[in-house]
Amino acid sequence: MPPRCTFCVRSASNLPDLDYGEKKTTDGSDPFVAVFVGSTLMFKTEYRANTANPVWNHCHLLDSGSYNTSSSISFVILDADLKTIDDIIGVGCTTAATGSREIDLEGPAAADESNRGRLKVEIFLFDKHAVEAKDGAAVSPTTPAWQWQTVTSE
């Protein structure tokens, strides 16, 4: 059985403005992220209004039965719309491996090379369900990944 896993959706940058059909009183889309393991929706972030560079710092713990380490993890960035269906800004994919990464977005809105966005995420696998910071303190979702160490128990 795979270890438990924490996914942290940190931020995005240079997202295209998809609110072009609405009155132009905004400075950007209203992005949020939907995270899928395979085809199963695991969680969504809250949306951030009128920004091309949102910060979420949203962490979510997945139990070991929710995924396996070879599962495809998709981060779908959408533009929240009140009157119409949410627009897809872009999609980034990775696998469940510990570490921080920036993922280039692909998809309908990212087709123009000059209009690509990036998503910053952190993933951490909890070996044997016990993790502490290198200084011995408990790990929280806001603890930077470089301060984490895996603690194995017999």
Side-chain angles (χ1 to χ4, degrees):
M1 182 177 293
R4 290 170 52 186
C5 183
T6 295
F7 291 172
C8 295
V9 177
R10 295 297 183 194
S11 61
S13 59
N14 301 318
L15 298 179
D17 184 355
L18 296 189
D19 286 340
Y20 51 81
E22 302 172 16
K23 279 188 170 180
K24 226 26 199 154
T25 57
T26 67
D27 294 324
S29 293
D30 306 310
F32 68 97
V33 182
V35 179
F36 293 83
V37 174
S39 61
T40 304
L41 176 64
M42 294 289 126
F43 68 94
K44 294 179 185 178
T45 67
E46 292 183 2
Y47 80 91
R48 298 291 184 249
N50 305 326
T51 182
N53 301 295
V55 175
W56 294 282
N57 287 323
H58 180 106
C59 295
H60 190 85
L61 178 66
L62 297 180
D63 288 322
S64 56
S66 307
Y67 75 100
N68 64 55
T69 53
S70 63
S71 294
S72 174
I73 302 164
S74 301
F75 298 88
V76 181
I77 296 83
L78 299 113
D79 174 33
D81 291 319
L82 296 176
K83 297 180 182 178
T84 61
I85 295 173
D86 297 334
D87 302 309
I88 296 174
I89 295 173
V91 178
C93 297
T94 188
T95 58
T98 294
S100 298
R101 60 201 70 155
E102 288 193 29
I103 302 170
D104 289 326
L105 301 178
E106 298 179 6
D112 177 5
E113 194 66 32
S114 65
N115 205 17
R116 290 183 67 106
R118 297 189 79 168
L119 179 68
K120 185 175 182 179
V121 301
E122 291 178 333
I123 298 173
F124 190 77
L125 301 176
F126 290 79
D127 187 23
K128 300 207 180 189
H129 308 285
V131 175
E132 65 183 32
K134 289 181 181 174
D135 64 3
V139 169
S140 75
T142 58
T143 305
W146 58 268
Q147 292 181 352
W148 295 351
Q149 69 180 359
T150 300
V151 178
T152 57
S153 57
E154 299 301 322

